[in-house]
């Protein structure tokens, strides 16, 4: 540590914190050790803070910042820097406490990425490039049984990248580019805005998502059975508009699913609307064979309505129009009373499939 005129320089810093604990209603962070290494300088006259390198690391997450520059000016605050990060997905998700999680689940994987940040006054810019290697989703082998968890879904690599700006004056975040991809299984590109992220969360997003159904079937077979076959490679449009959550908790549900003694999670706003669709060339499962078809999903009033367009199944017709009630805990799938299929041919495969 040195002092020269108005300049203060910390050449090297080695700080270690043992048994770090941070526990709130929604977070449980417990880290055996946290270390901080690096150096920085501060000029009292100009209000500038600079750091060539600063590292913060724990067992769950590590950051390394380079080229950090701050201008501590009330009228013209500025900040910039590049941040590399690496984290354990399983340990990071364990930080979040979910009081309403009835079924134990777990994620595993390693996230690696780089974030470039620039701020001037009340305007911020961000650029992100990141990926998760071997993202595994674990769940119980059979619901309701006390059995060891097994992998339900696995992705070798998931990529997340994007650029965005944010104005603290207007509380408006603008996504100029957001890309999500899962190892050629599915990907999405979106643009849009998010108004008041810490409050109403008013979204206006549209984009395209692409998928390869044969790869989706590969992921699903260990979960639903080896006879699942799907085919189709498509790119479809998707949109989402309106407030994300209902802050009043008055969103419609079919029945009370949360006890009054337990705090309820934020419910999906009834004003949130969205549209998406899936098209396939062929599907085969448990003896049911479907030809080309399309499923249109429409979100409104906290309910996702699935509307298939005349799907031919094993020589007959599919009639059901299921709905997913998002504000139930867990989400509830509803089918109206009536026939699901009409004139479906029963194959030997169907009769002997259990």
């Amino acid at each position: 540590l040195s002092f020269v005129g108005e300049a203060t320089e910390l050449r090297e810093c080695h700080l270690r914190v043992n048994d770090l604990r941070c526990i709130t209603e929604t977070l449980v962070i417990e880290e055996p050790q946290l270390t901080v290494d690096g150096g920085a300088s501060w000029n009292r006259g100009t209000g500038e803070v600079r750091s060539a390198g600063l590292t913060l690391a724990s067992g769950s997450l590590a950051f390394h910042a380079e080229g950090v520059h701050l201008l501590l000016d009330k009228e013209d605050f500025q900040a910039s820097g590049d941040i590399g990060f690496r984290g354990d997905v399983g340990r990071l998700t364990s930080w979040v406490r979910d009081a309403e999680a009835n079924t134990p689940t777990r994620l595993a994987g390693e996230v690696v990425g780089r974030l470039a940040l620039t701020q001037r006054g009340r305007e911020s810019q961000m650029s992100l490039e990141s990926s998760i290697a071997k993202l595994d989703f674990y769940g119980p082998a059979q619901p309701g049984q006390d059995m060891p968890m097994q992998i339900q879904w696995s992705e070798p690599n998931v990529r997340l990248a994007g650029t965005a700006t944010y104005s603290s004056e207007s509380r408006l975040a603008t996504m100029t580019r957001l890309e999500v991809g899962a190892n050629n299984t599915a990907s999405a590109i979106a643009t849009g805005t998010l108004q008041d992220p810490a409050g109403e969360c008013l979204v206006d997003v549209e984009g395209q998502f692409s998928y390869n159904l044969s790869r989706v079937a590969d992921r699903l077979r260990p979960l639903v059975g080896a006879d699942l076959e799907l085919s189709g490679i498509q790119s479809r449009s998707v949109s989402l508009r309106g407030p994300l959550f209902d802050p009043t908790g008055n969103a419609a549900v079919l029945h009370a699913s949360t006890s009054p003694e337990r705090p309820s999670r934020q419910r999906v706003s009834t004003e949130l609307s969205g549209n998406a669709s899936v098209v396939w060339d062929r599907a085969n499962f448990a003896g049911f064979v479907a030809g080309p078809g399309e499923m249109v999903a429409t979100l409104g009033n906290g309910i996702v309505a699935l509307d298939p367009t005349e799907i031919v199944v094993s020589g007959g017709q599919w009639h059901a129009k299921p709905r997913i009630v998002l504000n139930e805990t867990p989400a509830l799938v509803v089918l109206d009373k009536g026939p699901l299929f009409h004139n479906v041919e029963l194959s030997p495969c169907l009769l002997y499939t259990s």
Side-chain angles (χ1 to χ4, degrees), residues 17-161:
V17 179
N18 294 322
D19 298 323
L20 175 67
R21 292 167 60 90
C22 177
I23 300 177
T24 69
E25 292 184 358
T26 56
L27 291 176
V28 180
I29 301 175
E30 296 179 313
E31 293 294 326
Q33 187 176 97
L34 174 70
T35 60
V36 180
D37 297 282
S41 63
W42 172 44
N43 189 303
R44 297 189 302 276
T46 62
E48 289 184 287
V49 177
R50 295 183 180 273
S51 175
L54 187 65
T55 300
L56 184 150
S58 72
S60 302
L61 186 63
F63 290 99
H64 179 70
E66 297 178 344
V68 177
H69 176 236
L70 303 176
L71 179 59
L72 307 179
D73 189 318
K74 293 182 179 180
E75 301 299 327
D76 186 26
F77 175 79
Q78 297 181 29
S80 62
D82 292 328
I83 302 173
F85 59 88
R86 180 184 301 271
D88 184 311
V89 173
R91 298 183 64 169
L92 291 174
T93 53
S94 70
W95 285 3
V96 181
R97 190 204 316 250
D98 187 354
E100 296 190 0
N102 298 321
T103 304
T105 57
R106 183 167 62 88
L107 293 174
E110 182 184 45
V111 58
V112 178
R114 195 159 193 87
L115 181 66
L117 293 171
T118 303
Q119 179 171 344
R120 180 158 189 171
R122 296 187 175 185
E123 302 291 329
S124 304
Q125 294 183 337
M126 179 196 75
S127 178
L128 172 68
E129 289 284 344
S130 66
S131 64
I132 303 176
K134 201 178 186 301
L135 178 63
D136 295 332
F137 176 81
Y138 288 80
Q142 294 183 17
Q145 296 191 13
D146 186 15
M147 300 179 63
M149 290 191 294
Q150 65 182 23
I151 295 178
Q152 304 286 348
W153 188 283
S154 182
E155 283 294 339
N157 186 272
V158 177
R159 178 176 177 267
L160 174 63

Side-chain angles (χ1 to χ4, degrees), residues 132-265:
I132 303 176
K134 201 178 186 301
L135 178 63
D136 295 332
F137 176 81
Y138 288 80
Q142 294 183 17
Q145 296 191 13
D146 186 15
M147 300 179 63
M149 290 191 294
Q150 65 182 23
I151 295 178
Q152 304 286 348
W153 188 283
S154 182
E155 283 294 339
N157 186 272
V158 177
R159 178 176 177 267
L160 174 63
T163 57
T165 62
Y166 178 71
S167 170
S168 59
E169 183 175 13
S170 62
R171 296 183 298 177
L172 179 66
T174 302
M175 295 184 299
T176 53
R177 178 179 64 91
L178 177 64
E179 297 181 19
V180 182
N183 199 50
N184 297 324
T185 301
S187 63
I189 301 176
T191 60
T193 60
L194 175 61
Q195 180 73 50
D196 193 13
E200 189 179 17
C201 285
L202 186 66
V203 299
D204 186 352
V205 176
E206 60 182 18
Q208 294 283 128
F209 75 96
S210 305
Y211 54 86
N212 185 328
L213 290 180
S214 65
R215 291 183 177 270
V216 174
D218 292 340
R219 304 289 188 267
L220 289 175
R221 285 191 193 103
L223 182 62
V224 302
D227 59 342
L228 174 66
E229 295 181 8
L230 299 172
S231 65
I233 300 175
Q234 289 283 340
S235 180
R236 311 293 290 176
S237 62
V238 60
S239 65
L240 192 66
R241 292 181 174 86
L244 285 179
F245 304 107
D246 176 18
T248 66
N250 293 326
V253 295
L254 295 187
H255 56 78
S257 56
T258 305
S259 66
E261 291 80 12
R262 291 170 56 188
S264 175
R265 63 179 171 84

Side-chain angles (χ1 to χ4, degrees), residues 2-9 41-45:
S2 64
F3 301 90
V4 179
E6 295 183 330
T8 302
E9 183 177 7
S41 63
W42 172 44
N43 189 303
R44 297 189 302 276

